[in-house]
């Protein structure tokens, strides 16, 4: 299915203005797409307010999200991004939704990365780390967490033929990289196992 709507929360108007000025027209098209709603403000406060609205609405009348992407420079399981936040967020998610959040480099801070798995397992049934190479980051390795109450992202069927039909040119991502992202180095797997 195609994307019906996107809600973007950005705390800083300057980030949006800078994106419009310096990023490619392909990125900027999103800001003028009628399916896009841009909210300038604190995403954690927005989630809390939206959750209260959703909980007061009749089932079937609620606007629920199929995908939540959290890209923050703050720790994704600390401060405002607490377990309480993720519990509240889960009330805005459809039954088949996924949440993806950036964490940190496990090479420098596996003790900061691995608690996110254990913590989020108290909210979601399926929680996995993904590792990618990110040359701009200090160690080159970076972790994301993907969580869902219904979808096991490691074993979910991906429509690769549909992906290829869209002819999206990438420089990094492909089917092999997708599958390999779930293969964790032993030190990180050990740290996750110890945290259980």
């Amino acid at each position: 299915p195609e994307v019906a709507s996107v809600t973007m929360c950005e705390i800083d108007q300057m980030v949006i203005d800078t994106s419009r000025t310096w990023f490619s027209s392909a990125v900027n098209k999103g800001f003028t797409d009628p399916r896009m709603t841009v909210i300038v403000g604190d995403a954690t406060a927005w989630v809390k307010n939206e959750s209260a609205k959703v909980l007061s609405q009749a089932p079937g009348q609620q606007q629920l999200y199929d995908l939540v992407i959290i890209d923050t420079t703050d720790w994704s399981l600390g401060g405002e991004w607490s377990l309480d936040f993720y519990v509240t967020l889960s009330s805005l998610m459809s039954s088949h939704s996924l949440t993806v959040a950036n964490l940190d480099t496990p090479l420098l801070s596996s003790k900061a990365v691995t608690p996110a798995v254990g913590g989020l397992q108290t909210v979601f049934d399926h929680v996995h780390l993904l590792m990618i190479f990110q040359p701009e980051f200090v160690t080159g390795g970076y972790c994301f967490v993907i969580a869902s109450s219904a979808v096991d992202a490691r074993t979910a069927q991906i429509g690769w033929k549909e992906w290829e039909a869209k002819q999206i040119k990438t420089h990094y991502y492909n089917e092999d990289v997708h599958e390999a992202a779930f293969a964790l180095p032993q030190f990180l797997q050990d740290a996750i196992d110890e945290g259980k």
Side-chain angles (χ1 to χ4, degrees):
E2 294 298 318
V3 174
S5 66
V6 173
T7 303
M8 175 180 157
C9 293
E10 172 54 57
I11 200 164
D12 189 346
Q13 180 67 46
M14 187 179 285
V15 170
I16 296 168
D17 296 341
T18 302
S19 298
R20 287 182 167 144
T21 302
W22 296 104
F23 287 163
S24 70
S25 60
V27 172
N28 284 317
K29 257 190 344 193
F31 290 115
T32 58
D33 190 309
R35 298 172 295 176
M36 170 76 101
T37 300
V38 177
I39 294 162
V40 179
D42 181 352
T44 59
W46 182 85
V47 164
K48 189 174 184 178
N49 292 335
E50 287 300 301
S51 174
K53 288 181 201 173
V54 163
L55 294 174
S56 69
Q57 296 168 336
Q61 303 299 313
Q62 305 159 325
Q63 178 181 350
L64 300 177
Y65 292 86
D66 296 326
L67 177 63
V68 177
I69 301 171
I70 300 172
D71 181 10
T72 176
T73 54
D74 299 323
W75 300 113
S76 290
L77 199 59
E80 294 296 315
W81 307 96
S82 65
L83 283 178
D84 287 341
F85 164 79
Y86 283 97
V87 169
T88 304
L89 176 66
S90 68
S91 70
L92 296 177
M93 298 170 63
S94 69
S95 60
H96 55 273
S97 65
L98 291 166
T99 299
V100 181
N102 60 321
L103 290 174
D104 199 354
T105 173
L107 297 171
L108 295 179
S109 56
S110 63
K111 293 195 185 313
V113 169
T114 54
V117 175
L120 291 177
Q121 284 174 336
T122 67
V123 181
F124 301 102
D125 295 327
H126 305 283
V127 179
H128 302 291
L129 288 182
L130 300 100
M131 256 192 98
I132 65 164
F133 294 103
Q134 187 167 320
E136 295 86 8
F137 206 76
V138 65
T139 65
Y142 200 82
C143 272
F144 294 81
V145 64
I146 187 164
S148 175
S149 289
V151 179
D152 185 338
R154 285 183 312 180
T155 59
Q157 294 296 310
I158 308 296
W160 291 112
K161 287 183 181 175
E162 291 84 354
W163 168 261
E164 290 170 11
K166 291 184 182 291
Q167 298 182 345
I168 299 171
K169 182 165 176 46
T170 65
H171 295 284
Y172 180 82
Y173 183 75
N174 61 37
E175 184 174 353
D176 291 334
V177 167
H178 177 90
E179 292 176 9
F182 291 96
L184 302 177
Q186 193 59 48
F187 77 90
L188 185 54
Q189 189 61 59
D190 289 345
I192 292 169
D193 292 341
E194 287 169 16
K196 288 183 179 176

